Amino acid sequence: AQSVTQPDIHITVSEGASLELRCNYSYGATPYLFWYVQSPGQGLQLLLKYFSGDTLVQGIKGFEAEFKRSQSSFNLRKPSVHWSDAAEYFCAVGDITGGGNKLTFGTGTQLKVEL
Amino acid sequence: GAGVSQSPRYKVAKRGQDVALRCDPISGHVSLFWYQQALGQGPEFLTYFQNEAQLDKSGLPSDRFFAERPEGSVSTLKIQRTQQEDSAVYLCASSPAGDNEQFFGPGTRLTVL
């Protein structure tokens, strides 16, 4: 069965600093990978996704992620964090073998931005 | 256009009560998913519909949980004889045919006392 590990439960960065959120996955085939952001009281918003092709994926709000098959990783990065980026971030792997796209999520990383 | 909507947004139930949670997916979306998100955790898959057919219910934690989508649009997640461990946010997501991106609703926060 697939699994996702987000080793950092909490991360604090200063506004304007760079950010990297780690994600490691376990999946038997080529994975479908996603990063979602969740603000308090809000649903999950998709930041970016990787299905195939270029391993560096650009997303919304200036985020990017790099798929590294050899490391089973899909880390999320942003060059300069804004205070509005404070939220919880979830990495997920998709399983399409059942016909749909059943997502398995990590436990999330809570990002705090210091002004 | 309108996104995925869920109602109620908040539900408080006494232990043993039955509850019904509603999901209105984006119009025309073929696939519909339910997830359960416990406090401090990531969402966990419950069940998946393609149109009106429930193709995967492997994540439903017990036979007290039941989901339906009779006309292939609105879906209802029903929990019978609620227990305290059922307290969580229940998220619904939908996606169009041939697309692996899921669009999530705001969730229903269920508290069982």
Side-chain angles (χ1 to χ4, degrees):
Chain A
Q2 65 267 30
S3 66
V4 175
T5 301
Q6 293 182 249
D8 304 307
I9 298 174
H10 299 280
I11 282 186
T12 300
V13 299
S14 299
E15 189 175 36
S18 64
L19 171 70
E20 183 170 31
L21 302 182
R22 296 183 290 166
C23 172
N24 291 95
Y25 68 89
S26 173
Y27 188 69
T30 300
Y32 285 13
L33 295 163
F34 305 81
W35 274 100
Y36 283 87
V37 60
Q38 187 176 41
S39 299
Q42 304 294 314
L44 293 161
Q45 182 183 22
L46 180 69
L47 288 175
L48 47 78
K49 57 189 177 184
Y50 171 79
F51 291 164
S52 64
D54 193 347
T55 56
L56 184 63
V57 180
Q58 301 297 321
I60 62 171
K61 303 184 180 186
F63 285 93
E64 66 178 27
E66 186 171 11
F67 170 60
K68 293 185 177 180
R69 184 187 300 275
S70 62
Q71 298 176 19
S72 297
S73 69
F74 189 57
N75 294 348
L76 182 71
R77 301 193 295 246
K78 187 170 185 177
S80 177
V81 170
H82 188 263
W83 64 267
S84 60
D85 293 325
E88 187 145 30
Y89 291 79
F90 292 95
C91 180
V93 62
D95 178 6
I96 63 168
T97 56
N101 180 27
K102 181 168 71 175
L103 296 176
T104 298
F105 287 86
T107 51
T109 298
Q110 184 72 45
L111 174 65
K112 180 180 176 182
V113 180
E114 290 183 333
L115 301 177
Chain B
V4 178
S5 61
Q6 294 185 244
S7 61
R9 291 293 311 276
Y10 303 91
K11 177 69 178 178
V12 178
K14 292 183 179 178
R15 189 161 54 93
Q17 282 185 331
D18 298 347
V19 298
L21 312 180
R22 177 187 168 105
C23 172
D24 283 82
I26 294 172
S27 178
H29 278 196
V30 169
S31 299
L32 186 145
F33 302 81
W34 284 98
Y35 294 85
Q36 180 191 58
Q37 185 176 19
L39 189 64
Q41 301 297 315
E44 292 191 357
F45 171 80
L46 293 177
T47 187
Y48 156 64
F49 290 86
Q50 187 173 90
N51 295 307
E52 69 278 4
Q54 189 175 21
L55 298 186
D56 188 342
K57 54 181 181 179
S58 61
L60 295 177
S62 77
D63 58 8
R64 296 187 295 104
F65 287 70
F66 172 77
E68 60 183 4
R69 194 186 185 198
E71 298 180 357
S73 55
V74 171
S75 177
T76 303
L77 177 66
K78 298 179 179 178
I79 309 173
Q80 297 177 323
R81 304 181 303 283
T82 53
Q83 303 294 315
Q84 283 191 322
E85 61 263 29
D86 299 335
S87 296
V89 175
Y90 290 85
L91 296 167
C92 176
S94 68
S95 64
D99 191 335
N100 289 305
E101 178 177 345
Q102 295 180 28
F103 297 82
F104 282 82
T108 294
R109 181 177 296 278
L110 173 64
T111 302
V112 182
L113 303 177

